[in-house]
Amino acid sequence: MPTDDYSSAAGGGLRLKGVNPSSRVSKHKKKRPKPSAEAKQESPSQNLEAGSSKKIDEKALDAQDKVQADEEIVEEERGAAQTRGKTLAEIQHEERRRRRLEERLKREGTKTHKERVEEFNHYLSNLSEHHDMPRIGPG
């Protein structure tokens, strides 16, 4: 009878000895300033002006300029996100690692899996018999 085991236990939250239950710690909420009527009226007009200037800017840019601008933004964001909270040595290490990877890709080029397997098989066929595994056991 599992319910009988816990019948003597008191329910509810834990209480501290010597502390009056009516004197609880109250958390104060910060009051936010209410926006005035003028601020409400100005904000939609500012949004419209900002939106119209963005539309004009977008029309002025060519498709190629848009792509370049997007790539630059992505690079800046990636660089900022990667360097946040890192030491100078860590940043330099990552930069060297990235450069080595780029150099290796330029040197090796982009090979398919099939080309890599063929190249490896050719390499193995050129090895001498000294490297072959001897047969062990009957057969």
Side-chain angles (χ1 to χ4, degrees):
M1 311 270 181
T3 56
D4 293 340
D5 294 337
Y6 298 104
S7 62
S8 63
L14 298 176
R15 294 182 195 92
L16 296 174
K17 290 184 178 179
V19 177
N20 189 0
S22 63
S23 63
R24 292 185 176 176
V25 177
S26 61
K27 295 181 182 179
H28 298 285
K29 294 184 179 180
K30 292 182 181 179
K31 293 182 180 178
R32 294 182 181 172
K34 295 180 181 178
S36 64
E38 294 175 7
K40 288 181 182 177
Q41 292 175 358
E42 290 178 11
S43 61
S45 62
Q46 291 174 351
N47 290 341
L48 290 175
E49 292 173 357
S52 62
S53 65
K54 287 180 183 178
K55 290 178 184 176
I56 293 170
D57 291 341
E58 288 179 0
K59 290 178 182 177
L61 292 175
D62 295 332
Q64 196 173 34
D65 292 339
K66 284 183 185 179
V67 171
Q68 290 176 352
D70 290 341
E71 289 175 357
E72 290 174 1
I73 291 170
V74 168
E75 286 294 325
E76 289 173 4
E77 290 175 354
R78 185 185 313 157
Q82 289 179 347
T83 59
R84 198 172 298 136
K86 295 187 179 182
T87 63
L88 181 62
E90 289 174 328
I91 295 169
Q92 290 173 349
H93 171 72
E94 287 181 358
E95 184 66 24
R96 274 185 263 126
R97 186 171 169 237
R98 186 184 58 80
R99 284 183 188 156
R100 270 189 252 120
L101 178 65
E102 288 176 1
E103 289 175 10
R104 195 185 86 204
L105 290 175
K106 286 179 185 176
R107 189 175 59 238
E108 293 177 1
T110 54
K111 295 181 184 177
T112 64
H113 181 263
K114 185 176 182 178
E115 291 171 344
R116 287 192 191 106
V117 169
E118 288 174 355
E119 184 178 311
F120 185 65
N121 286 337
H122 180 71
Y123 167 76
L124 291 176
S125 66
N126 288 339
L127 288 177
S128 65
E129 292 182 16
H130 172 75
H131 295 286
D132 288 344
M133 295 290 292
R135 284 196 179 220
I136 301 173

